[in-house]
Structure formats: C-alpha cells, structure tokens
Amino acid sequence: MASERATLYRGLLRELRQSVPPPRKVNKTIIAHFRSIAEKDNARAQMDLQNAVLFIRAQREHKRLLERYNPLFDLTAEERIKATARRRSEMNVDLNPVPQITSQETLDALKTASHRLVNEMQTVVFPTETVYGLGALALDANAAAKIFSTKGRPPDNPLIVHVSSFNMLCSLLPPGYVIPKAYKALMKHFWPGALTLLFPRSENIPTIITAGQSTVAIRMPSHPVARALIAVANAPLAAPSANTSGKPSPTRAEHVLRDLHGKVSLILDGGACGVGLESTVVDGLHADGNIRVLRPGGITVEDLERVLCDEIHDMANIPKVLVHKRDYADEKIESAPTTPGMKYRHYSPSVPVTLLLTLPNLSGDQPTTNFSDYISSSWKKAAVKGELKIGVLAATDSKFWDQIRPLDGISWCQFPLGPLAEPAVIAHNLFDGLLSLEKDGVHLMLIEEVEESREGLAIMNRVRKAASDSIRITLD
C-alpha cells in the first residue's frame, strides 16, 4: 500500500473510531471494505478515501452541532439535564469570568460567608454540584486546621482545593509549570465540574492541605454559589465534604445541620446537590502519561476515555485511563494517600450497612444464602426491643423488591434509588438514602449492588466503604 494511501487509510480509521461510542470498535466488514479500496493503485481510489474521510468528519460535526442547538422540548426532564450538561461540556468554556449573582439576598449571604472565611478565619459550609463542602482558606494553615478539628478528620487525609478561575489555578502552580495536554483536554470538557486533578504542590500551599505530599488536588466547582463564594472571597478554598469524618457525605443543607449543628459558623443552603457523589480524582503526573483514577466520582471513566479520544488525535499517544484497585495497585498511595477517600472507612451511617450481592458471581468464591433465611437470622441476632427496623436501598425497578414481605417482628423502610438504566440517578440519591434511613431510626440497612459501569463504578466504591459486611444472596 503506497504511503500516501496508507496515511489516508489510517486517518479514515481514526475518523471511524471517533464516530462510534466507546469502546470505539468499528465493524470489521466496513474496515475490510475500505482496506480493499486503499489497496487499489489508482487516483480514483485515493479520491474515494479522501471523500470518505470528509463525509464521516462532516457527519460527526453535524451530530455535534445538532446536539448543541437542537431544542430539548421532546426530551424528558432527566434527558434534558443530561443533554444540556453534554452540550455545555463540549463548548469552549471561559474559565475566568466571575459568576454573575443577580439576587441581592444571595449576594449578601455570599459577602457574609466571605467575611467569616477571610476576616474571621472560620469554616463555612457551601453547596457544590457534588456534595456540600466545609470550606476554609486553603493558603492559611491555621484556617485549614479548623476543617480537621470540626470534622474529626485524620491529619494524613489530604484536602481538595477549590478555585473559581483559571487564573486562580495558575496562582497555585509552581513557576513555569506547563499543564499537560491530557489535563487541558479534560479541563476543556469537565471544568467547571466534578473533576479533581492532581498538580505538583507549590510552596505557597501549606503542607496541612496535602498531608505532606508533593502533589495537591485542585478542582473548579460548577455550582454557581460555590464558584461565586470563592470569587467573592478572592481566595482558593479547601473543602472536604461537610460531615463528621467517616459518615455519609451531605447532599442537602439539612444533612449538614443535623450532623454539624453548633460546629460551623454558617451554612449556605443551595438546595439538593445535582451529582450527589464526590468528584472524580485523576492523577496524570506519571511519566507514562496515563490517567489514573484515584477515586471514581461524578465524571465517569467512560466520559474521560471519550474526551481523550476526541481531543488527542494521535492514536498512539492517547493516554490510557486506569482505575485504582481495578486496573492497577499502589501500596504506597494507599498508606500515604494523595487525595481524600482512599485510606479510611467512609460514608458509613451510625447503623450497620450490609451489601447484598445479587449479580452473577464470576469467581464463585463466595457462598450464597437464601434471603429469607438471612433475614430470620438477623432478627434472631438483633438485640433490640420490639420490631427490628430494616432500611432497604435498591434500584426502583430491581427484582429485589419482590423479596420484601410482611414478617412478624420486622418493619421495613424502603428507599428506591432510581432506575437501573440510569445510574446517575442512583448516584444522586445514594447519600440522601443512607442519611434519610438513619434519620428514620432503622437498626440495619441493606443495599443491593449495581453493575460497575458508568456511575455504577463510583456508587460501588462508596457502598463498599460504607458497608461493614457483604453477603451473596439468592432470591426466592
């Protein structure tokens, strides 16, 4: 195959892969057809390849523009949210303008919160699109220390720094540092948003923020209140989830009030958080250039892979997306984490949580138990007076709900999480479900597993950390 036609053929394959969703597999028959054209030694074959490349590229661009500008009146509410978010992520977002606040009441609240943060060096709770954050000045060690004392947080658990603009990000980076190409691609699509990136730590960032590590985790939230607060304070804010360390993260202001009442100076109520799980944390600083997901979250692995494939056109240099504990192990980072959520038990309510394994067991290394027998055993073991109150969390359309039957001595509290086909909805409701059932006074919580794809990876990451036990069950 002549070199010019070979180059056209490779370019054609690249366009084909970009035109199909991950895992970017193109039909072998189509590939064979275009290869047969490329092997023909004539000008017509070369022109056919050029036209095919232009056609596929034009179709992909047409689809992108259609998704950006097509009215959303024919979509459901959930589809509108997803389509709007997708269109917004595909635009070149200016990361520097200050969010515009038109409500005087909101502006006054932001100014009060800024005064508490900057002048009084206090902690302030504010909403983000992921979960509610407990904020303090990131560049003041004494202010940041109040986060640890308020939460009861171990000092070797790093904090994420939140910025409101690209200029603020640059002020936190070492002099002369060049942002990697992969980071630029991810920031273009997911900032502002639920993505945290690891950067080299500069000397102006206190070691209490990074737990003595050489890197710092930074993100730009998309919630207008969060970003406006940082802009009004004109200072980056360190902000873990606004809860007692180890408990489920709050996704509503009332969750914070119930947990940290009297421990924080101010709570900004921005309603329910849109994502409902913490941000995805990414480390792209290794010499191999690959993207390592240290903590799955609001941005899925599939999202990361799609953007890297779309933005980095040299197929040989597209970074791999590797998930910690799924695709690789790192004992060093597990003992001395560079980001939150890696070392300690998290997300646990005040009562035991049992993970119910109902999906096919490929390894066969865990025995199964009949669900009715398990409930009878739990009731006998329970040291409670009166009825055993059991909270259940599962997908709305799960077959598991058929197992919930009236039993003497058992009281059921049900919290449907959302459709199996929409893991983003399940993710949004997870922490609210755990905290709501805790408020209802259940003695035990049962939560059914979900498939670990899309947001399901982050869901199961949180559920496994929350659960004190897991059991494989058979359904009647």
Side-chain angles (χ1 to χ4, degrees):
M1 192 185 298
S3 60
E4 187 172 355
R5 281 181 286 117
T7 301
L8 276 172
Y9 175 69
R10 287 195 295 271
L12 176 62
L13 291 182
R14 182 166 60 247
E15 291 295 336
L16 284 170
R17 291 190 187 100
Q18 290 179 355
S19 67
V20 298
R24 308 285 176 189
K25 292 184 178 179
V26 181
N27 186 289
K28 292 181 180 179
T29 303
I30 295 176
I31 293 177
H33 171 72
F34 282 115
R35 183 174 181 84
S36 67
I37 295 175
E39 289 174 344
K40 295 177 181 178
D41 188 12
N42 57 60
R44 177 64 182 271
Q46 183 170 325
M47 183 175 294
D48 286 344
L49 288 176
Q50 291 173 335
N51 290 336
V53 170
L54 290 173
F55 176 79
I56 295 170
R57 189 175 294 163
Q59 287 293 305
R60 189 156 48 85
E61 181 67 10
H62 171 73
K63 181 180 178 183
R64 185 182 69 83
L65 293 173
L66 190 66
E67 288 185 344
R68 177 178 293 186
Y69 298 113
N70 191 41
L72 306 177
F73 64 87
D74 57 340
L75 302 181
T76 67
E78 193 65 36
E79 288 170 337
R80 281 199 299 273
I81 292 171
K82 291 182 178 179
T84 302
R86 183 173 62 252
R87 293 200 320 276
R88 184 177 179 278
S89 72
E90 291 172 349
M91 297 179 187
N92 290 321
V93 179
D94 187 345
L95 300 181
N96 279 321
V98 176
Q100 297 299 310
I101 302 298
T102 57
S103 166
Q104 187 61 45
E105 182 180 5
T106 301
L107 187 59
D108 291 342
L110 289 170
K111 289 179 178 178
T112 300
S114 175
H115 178 80
R116 299 279 178 90
L117 288 164
V118 177
N119 300 96
E120 300 179 4
M121 299 292 178
Q122 296 295 320
T123 57
V124 166
V125 174
F126 61 94
T128 78
E129 70 281 12
T130 56
V131 299
Y132 273 75
L134 177 66
L137 294 181
L139 301 185
D140 188 287
N142 292 327
K146 294 178 181 178
I147 292 175
F148 291 86
S149 59
T150 300
K151 285 176 60 74
R153 185 184 183 91
D156 61 345
N157 198 3
L159 301 174
I160 293 174
V161 177
H162 295 66
V163 299
S164 62
S165 68
F166 184 76
N167 290 340
M168 188 177 286
L169 166 68
C170 292
S171 72
L172 301 176
L173 302 180
Y177 177 73
V178 178
I179 297 175
K181 186 176 182 180
Y183 272 16
K184 289 180 179 178
L186 296 176
M187 290 164 66
K188 173 184 174 183
H189 286 260
F190 301 122
W191 273 28
L195 179 68
T196 295
L197 301 172
L198 252 61
F199 292 94
R201 173 185 166 269
S202 65
E203 293 183 357
N204 63 334
I205 298 176
T207 56
I208 191 174
I209 298 292
T210 64
Q213 298 294 321
S214 61
T215 57
V216 58
I218 303 176
R219 89 174 181 99
M220 183 186 296
S222 63
H223 196 291
V225 172
R227 201 164 162 213
L229 175 62
I230 301 166
V232 171
N234 195 29
L237 299 182
S241 56
N243 57 285
T244 300
S245 189
K247 294 196 67 176
S249 300
T251 58
R252 300 175 183 271
E254 55 262 36
H255 296 162
V256 182
L257 186 63
R258 198 157 59 237
D259 183 18
L260 297 181
H261 181 61
K263 295 183 179 181
V264 294
S265 65
L266 184 69
I267 300 174
L268 294 176
D269 186 350
C273 299
V275 176
L277 290 181
E278 297 86 353
S279 62
T280 300
V281 181
V282 159
D283 179 0
L285 302 179
H286 291 252
D288 61 10
N290 289 329
I291 296 296
R292 287 166 170 78
V293 176
L294 304 183
R295 181 183 73 183
I299 304 299
T300 68
V301 171
E302 293 86 348
D303 290 334
L304 300 175
E305 290 174 335
R306 171 181 57 80
V307 164
L308 292 171
C309 284
D310 287 347
E311 292 292 332
I312 300 177
H313 301 299
D314 184 356
M315 295 293 291
N317 292 321
I318 295 176
K320 296 179 182 177
V321 179
L322 307 174
V323 180
H324 180 244
K325 288 192 174 181
R326 187 192 75 177
D327 303 321
Y328 73 99
D330 190 333
E331 294 183 1
K332 181 180 178 181
I333 202 172
E334 290 170 18
S335 60
T338 55
T339 186
M342 298 191 69
K343 184 175 181 180
Y344 295 97
R345 186 180 176 191
H346 287 72
Y347 322 119
S348 300
S350 58
V351 298
V353 176
T354 297
L355 170 59
L356 302 180
L357 304 175
T358 57
L359 296 175
N361 183 16
L362 299 180
S363 63
D365 58 356
Q366 188 171 1
T368 59
T369 301
N370 179 271
F371 180 67
S372 298
D373 294 340
Y374 169 72
I375 292 299
S376 297
S377 174
S378 299
W379 179 74
K380 292 175 182 177
K381 293 177 182 177
V384 297
K385 295 181 180 179
E387 287 188 324
L388 176 64
K389 200 171 183 180
I390 301 178
V392 181
L393 302 99
T396 307
D397 50 350
S398 170
K399 295 179 181 179
F400 177 72
W401 294 114
D402 296 336
Q403 307 296 307
I404 307 302
R405 300 162 185 160
L407 292 171
D408 290 340
I410 303 291
S411 174
W412 299 102
C413 294
Q414 302 180 24
F415 197 101
L417 292 170
L420 283 168
E422 300 187 55
V425 177
I426 295 176
H428 171 78
N429 292 322
L430 176 62
F431 287 145
D432 186 33
L434 291 171
L435 292 168
S436 296
L437 290 176
E438 180 184 58
K439 180 185 176 183
D440 290 342
V442 301
H443 302 107
L444 168 69
M445 294 188 203
L446 308 176
I447 182 166
E448 186 185 18
E449 67 176 332
V450 298
E451 291 188 3
E452 295 189 44
S453 61
R454 296 187 291 168
E455 292 83 0
L457 182 67
I459 292 167
M460 291 306 298
N461 171 273
R462 305 311 192 269
V463 169
R464 287 196 175 94
K465 289 180 179 293
S468 55
D469 188 22
S470 65
I471 183 170
R472 182 163 294 282
I473 64 168
T474 55
L475 305 180
D476 296 336

